[in-house]
Amino acid sequence: MELFAEQKRCLDCLVSSIEQLGGRVDIPKLEEIAELIIQTMRGPWRYFHTSEHIFEVGGSVDPIEVLAALFHDLVYVQVDQGVSFNISSALCPFVKEVRSQLVIRDETELPNDAMYHLVASVFGFIPGKALSPFGGQNEFLSAVIAAKSLEPFLPASTIAEIAACIEATIPFRPVSPSGLSAIELLHQRLVSANRDFNLGWSDAQTVEIVKRSVRLANRDVENFASRNSSNFLDNTWNLMPETNHELTNVNSYTVAGYRRSLQKMEGFLNFLKPELVFQQFMQEPDDETYANLIARTRKNIEVAKLYLGIKLITIAILEALSYRLGRDIPLSTMMGELRAPGFKTSVLEDYLPNQQIAYPLETQLEKEVLNLLAIGRNQESPYDIKNSPVATFIIKSIGFAETENFLKKAQEFFAGHISSEEFLSYCSPDVIDTISSGVMKLFDSRKTALGKVKFVHQTVS
């Protein structure tokens, strides 16, 4: 039922947008496109880049933004572990695989396809170019499918505007060696495409096309500027299983698997510059709005970096303790299973004391992060609880001032530069003893539970 409702919503968006743009409507063919989009967006590893995301990004005002959003995440190689079978046939004439990398076909191999060449012009991609997952590969292939899908219904000039919106969603691009931003380079390419393909835009129209592209691209990443850092972390937790598929195996992913997912996200946020998240072009958005977006993004990234750092310290302790049992130990072995409705199972937090704060909190950032750890993010995720009781116990015990040095030792342990026991010897003995004692009590509770089953069985017999 949910699938049908999403396909119906997607179809309605396609039909109403094409009608607003004066295009030709063919309901049976548009039904096929809607089904293609929604089936792809409901892939097994889509947690953030879902159907709901494309509807949110598109909004409901501008039909070109709506159409661009429907297609902009259709290809997501890292998440889907390749290109969906349903859409690969549309891309085969233009792209091939060479040593596990997607490459645009050579000029002699490419068909004389006007829509493909128009999209390639908007993106500035040339024959033979190797596509990079972080350099527009997904957006380019998504735009090609959008162009080919919409070709029967809309003119080339409109499809170019849609492709421009999709191009602008390539994220986190630095200023080019020439000193131009990614969006300024897009403007230059649109001027060339207008000339080369006779699209009929005036200079003012071309500027407005770029401004629209900025609006859509900024909406695509608007969670970075959430006014509530908990909302930002909710989205972060939805992103992690998209590229860490082990997390989808609830209650069976390993301590190390969970740690690697945290490491990837923490590493990404440490690398990311807030100024690269949102785009601006000729006062779209205006300076004040843009500055506020960057400021909120900077604050959210700082919160997330400290939060993830403490989570990494916590998982480092659990991973080091798990080495006393073996390698690749499930996290649920050390912490207990995620509680399901109707089942009361023991978890590690049941055996941790209600620790008082040993060191006064010195900044608003520390207060906010401790609150996020203790009370939790806004939403539970399918693979993790929203609060962090073990991390809360640790940070209340050691204080925030120790986290930087502690994290460095954890990273040495992760890298294999020090052993698990060396890492544990660096930690507070009281913290390690309390957590290891808690894990043993968790094991005892399982032993007791099994004993009850045996007793009941004997009684019945």
Side-chain angles (χ1 to χ4, degrees), residues 97-385:
E97 188 174 329
V98 179
R99 293 187 290 278
S100 301
Q101 183 173 24
L102 295 179
V103 177
I104 297 175
R105 291 185 181 275
D106 295 331
E107 195 162 4
T108 55
E109 299 176 277
L110 283 170
N112 185 21
D113 187 289
M115 286 299 103
Y116 169 79
H117 290 297
L118 177 58
V119 172
S121 177
V122 170
F123 277 72
F125 285 6
I126 60 174
K129 176 181 173 61
L131 298 176
S132 164
F134 307 105
Q137 168 185 270
N138 299 323
E139 293 80 5
F140 174 66
L141 298 179
S142 297
V144 170
I145 295 172
K148 295 303 296 176
S149 298
L150 297 172
E151 183 179 13
F153 314 109
L154 294 168
S157 60
T158 303
I159 289 174
E161 294 181 55
I162 293 168
C165 283
I166 297 175
E167 197 280 345
T169 65
I170 301 173
F172 317 133
R173 289 177 286 180
V175 173
S176 70
S178 64
L180 297 177
S181 69
I183 209 69
E184 289 169 331
L185 292 172
L186 173 61
H187 177 246
Q188 287 188 349
R189 292 195 300 274
L190 289 176
V191 170
S192 298
N194 183 38
R195 179 192 64 235
D196 297 342
F197 293 87
N198 298 313
L199 300 177
W201 302 328
S202 66
D203 290 346
Q205 285 174 314
T206 307
V207 167
E208 290 304 314
I209 290 166
V210 179
K211 287 185 175 182
R212 179 200 289 121
S213 301
V214 168
R215 285 195 297 273
L216 181 106
N218 285 349
R219 203 181 299 130
D220 190 29
V221 292
E222 65 183 359
N223 73 90
F224 276 88
S226 295
R227 297 178 186 279
N228 185 331
S229 55
S230 185
N231 292 336
F232 175 62
L233 285 173
D234 283 336
N235 285 313
T236 301
W237 249 246
N238 283 334
L239 281 168
M240 287 202 296
E242 290 198 333
T243 52
N244 299 276
H245 296 162
E246 183 180 351
L247 295 181
T248 60
N249 300 316
V250 178
N251 288 323
S252 64
Y253 57 80
T254 64
V255 180
Y258 183 73
R259 180 257 297 170
R260 285 190 292 269
S261 69
L262 293 177
Q263 273 185 296
K264 285 182 186 177
M265 187 57 69
E266 195 255 358
F268 163 69
L269 290 175
N270 271 294
F271 164 80
L272 183 63
K273 293 181 174 61
E275 295 79 11
L276 299 183
V277 177
F278 290 92
Q279 303 187 66
Q280 184 185 37
F281 182 77
M282 296 182 70
Q283 287 298 296
E284 176 59 55
D286 62 63
D287 289 341
E288 182 180 357
T289 301
Y290 182 70
N292 287 335
L293 289 171
I294 300 303
R296 291 201 299 270
T297 298
R298 179 174 288 105
K299 185 253 188 181
N300 284 331
I301 290 175
E302 287 303 311
V303 168
K305 281 160 52 176
L306 184 55
Y307 178 89
L308 284 163
I310 295 166
K311 296 278 281 188
L312 279 169
I313 291 169
T314 304
I315 204 67
I317 292 173
L318 290 169
E319 186 172 358
L321 289 172
S322 77
Y323 278 19
R324 294 174 176 177
L325 302 176
R327 295 295 185 267
D328 294 328
I329 300 298
L331 184 58
S332 59
T333 298
M334 303 299 293
M335 293 190 66
E337 291 191 351
L338 294 175
R339 284 172 169 162
F343 290 88
K344 173 65 174 173
T345 56
S346 293
V347 292
L348 177 56
E349 68 177 283
D350 296 338
Y351 306 105
L352 297 179
N354 183 17
Q355 178 70 27
Q356 298 301 307
I357 298 175
Y359 300 90
L361 302 178
E362 296 184 356
T363 65
Q364 183 59 39
L365 175 63
E366 292 178 357
K367 293 176 184 177
E368 184 165 356
V369 170
L370 179 58
N371 191 56
L372 286 165
L373 293 167
I375 299 174
R377 305 180 301 275
N378 286 337
Q379 300 173 2
E380 301 280 4
S381 72
Y383 65 93
D384 200 7
I385 58 175

Side-chain angles (χ1 to χ4, degrees), residues 31-45:
E31 284 177 336
E32 292 177 6
I33 295 171
E35 181 179 4
L36 174 72
I37 292 171
I38 298 303
Q39 290 281 4
T40 304
M41 300 306 296
R42 288 174 63 90
W45 296 300

Side-chain angles (χ1 to χ4, degrees), residues 32-41 46 70-77 80 82-95 102 137-138 140-146 148-149:
E32 292 177 6
I33 295 171
E35 181 179 4
L36 174 72
I37 292 171
I38 298 303
Q39 290 281 4
T40 304
M41 300 306 296
R46 299 275 186 139
L70 292 179
F71 287 94
H72 84 287
D73 278 334
L74 203 58
V75 176
Y76 215 128
V77 174
D80 299 327
V83 178
S84 165
F85 181 80
N86 290 336
I87 58 180
S88 59
S89 59
L91 296 172
C92 282
F94 314 110
V95 180
L102 295 179
Q137 168 185 270
N138 299 323
F140 174 66
L141 298 179
S142 297
V144 170
I145 295 172
K148 295 303 296 176
S149 298

